[in-house]
């Protein structure tokens, strides 16, 4: 689950909302009792979700910090960003480089309204939010909020964290990623996490409960399938790994397994 899930135009505190449920998993404060109940019910069906959400979020912070500090990236495009939960990508990037520019994109109007009220960047940098759908990559690339903030002639870090596993095969997820990367210059990076069923004896359950609360079904992919998103790119060490094993910090839990965090994560440079 993440902010790419479709949400109602008028979010109600009595109706669970996928973005607020994700916030609950991350220990945030922007959710209601109905969201907490729904999140717990989904976690009962898919026990790995809370740990996966946290590992995914922590990976985002480490990857963003590394790109800003070690690769000199100053522009970031985060697609399917969901509700702003601290630390946000812009906070991580601008802590390293105050002039960093960040664009968040999500299709959910509730998320958009909430983000506009909360997002605050540094005076030197820029932070913007555009409403667009990952399944229509041109709508993201053509959004005025993107071109007003990011210079597509300079390297960009494209973040697709916990997003593409919501895109079914018939919507051509590999073409979507290629289209987005095709608009970015050499020296840009792809940051991606994706759920998998590799660590389970049977396909990961895509229970009816998440769909009931507005979350699209998951499409778990194998390691080989996830690796295809990085075709033609230069994977940074340690390659395609479990999220918590990508350049872990001292605070990163070391005792988690693939069953605990059934996802792959990677960062790669466009040559």
């Amino acid at each position: 689950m993440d902010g790419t899930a479709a949400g109602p135009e008028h979010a109600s505190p009595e109706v669970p909302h996928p973005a607020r449920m994700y916030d609950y998993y991350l220990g945030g404060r922007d959710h209601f009792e109905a969201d907490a109940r729904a999140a717990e019910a989904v976690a009962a069906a898919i026990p790995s979700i809370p740990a996966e959400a946290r590992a995914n979020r922590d990976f985002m912070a480490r990857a963003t910090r590394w790109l800003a500090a070690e690769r000199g990236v100053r522009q970031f495009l985060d697609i399917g960003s969901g509700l702003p939960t601290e630390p946000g990508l812009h906070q991580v990037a601008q802590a390293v480089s105050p002039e960093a520019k960040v664009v968040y994109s999500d299709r959910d109007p509730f998320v958009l309204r909430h983000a506009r009220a909360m997002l605050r960047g540094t005076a030197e940098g820029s932070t913007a939010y555009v409403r667009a759908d990952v399944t229509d990559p041109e709508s993201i690339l053509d959004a005025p909020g993107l071109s007003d903030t990011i210079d597509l002639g300079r390297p960009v870090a494209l973040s697709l964290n916990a997003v593409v596993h919501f895109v079914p095969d018939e919507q051509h997820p590999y073409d979507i990623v290629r289209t987005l990367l095709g608009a970015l210059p050499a020296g840009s990076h792809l940051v991606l996490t994706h759920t998998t069923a590799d660590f389970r004896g049977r396909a990961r359950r895509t229970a009816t409960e998440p769909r009931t609360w507005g979350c699209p079904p998951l499409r778990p992919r194998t390691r080989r399938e996830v690796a295809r998103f990085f075709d033609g790119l230069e994977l940074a060490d340690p390659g395609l790994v479990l999220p918590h094993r990508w350049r872990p910090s001292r605070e990163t839990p070391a005792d988690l397994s693939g069953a605990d965090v059934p996802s792959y994560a990677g960062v790669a440079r466009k040559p």
Side-chain angles (χ1 to χ4, degrees):
M1 294 171 54
D2 106 320
T4 59
E9 290 288 339
H10 302 285
S12 166
E14 288 78 31
V15 178
H17 190 284
R20 295 195 304 251
M21 290 164 63
Y22 192 68
D23 175 79
Y24 173 82
Y25 292 133
L26 294 174
R29 297 173 294 177
D30 295 302
H31 58 266
F32 300 107
E33 183 178 349
D35 305 302
R37 288 198 304 268
E40 291 290 350
V42 174
I46 309 176
S48 64
I49 276 189
E52 196 171 356
R54 173 52 60 190
N56 178 76
R57 192 72 179 183
D58 292 346
F59 163 78
M60 176 280 294
R62 295 196 308 277
T64 300
R65 190 176 299 112
W66 181 79
L67 285 168
E70 302 298 329
R71 291 286 172 97
V73 177
R74 295 294 180 263
Q75 301 189 116
F76 297 82
L77 172 57
D78 185 13
I79 297 178
S81 53
L83 282 174
T85 302
E86 293 189 352
L89 190 152
H90 69 290
Q91 293 169 313
V92 176
Q94 292 174 352
V96 176
S97 175
E99 71 273 18
K101 301 178 185 301
V102 179
V103 172
Y104 293 102
S105 175
D106 202 286
R107 76 182 187 185
D108 192 322
F110 166 77
V111 169
L112 181 62
R113 291 195 301 271
H114 197 83
R116 282 176 172 165
M118 290 183 62
L119 288 178
R120 296 291 185 272
T122 60
E124 301 93 331
S126 300
T127 305
Y129 211 112
V130 299
R131 184 183 178 190
D133 193 329
V134 68
T135 62
D136 181 8
E138 287 83 4
S139 71
I140 299 172
L141 297 171
D142 294 340
L146 177 65
S147 58
D148 290 346
T149 307
I150 286 180
D151 177 3
L152 293 181
R154 298 173 54 231
V156 177
L158 169 65
S159 291
L160 290 167
N161 292 319
V163 173
V164 190
H165 53 224
F166 288 118
V167 181
D169 294 340
E170 56 268 25
Q171 289 187 301
H172 310 291
Y174 298 105
D175 290 342
I176 289 171
V177 175
R178 278 193 291 268
T179 297
L180 292 167
L181 286 172
L184 307 181
S188 295
H189 289 74
L190 172 64
V191 183
L192 182 143
T193 64
H194 195 298
T195 195
T196 185
D198 284 357
F199 304 100
R200 301 196 174 188
R202 56 185 174 83
R204 183 179 183 183
R205 180 179 177 183
T206 56
T208 58
E209 292 93 342
R211 297 196 71 176
T212 301
W213 293 307
C215 304
L218 290 170
R219 166 55 168 96
R221 293 185 170 93
T222 66
R223 189 180 189 281
R224 178 175 293 182
E225 288 175 313
V226 177
R228 279 186 59 194
F229 290 110
F230 296 95
D231 282 354
L233 306 179
E234 301 168 348
L235 269 169
D237 289 336
L240 189 61
V241 295
L242 299 176
H244 60 288
R245 293 180 182 167
W246 194 91
R247 298 178 179 266
S249 67
R250 285 179 295 180
E251 295 77 26
T252 305
D255 57 347
L256 298 176
S257 67
D260 298 317
V261 187
S263 298
Y264 290 112
V267 178
R269 179 183 181 275
K270 180 178 177 179

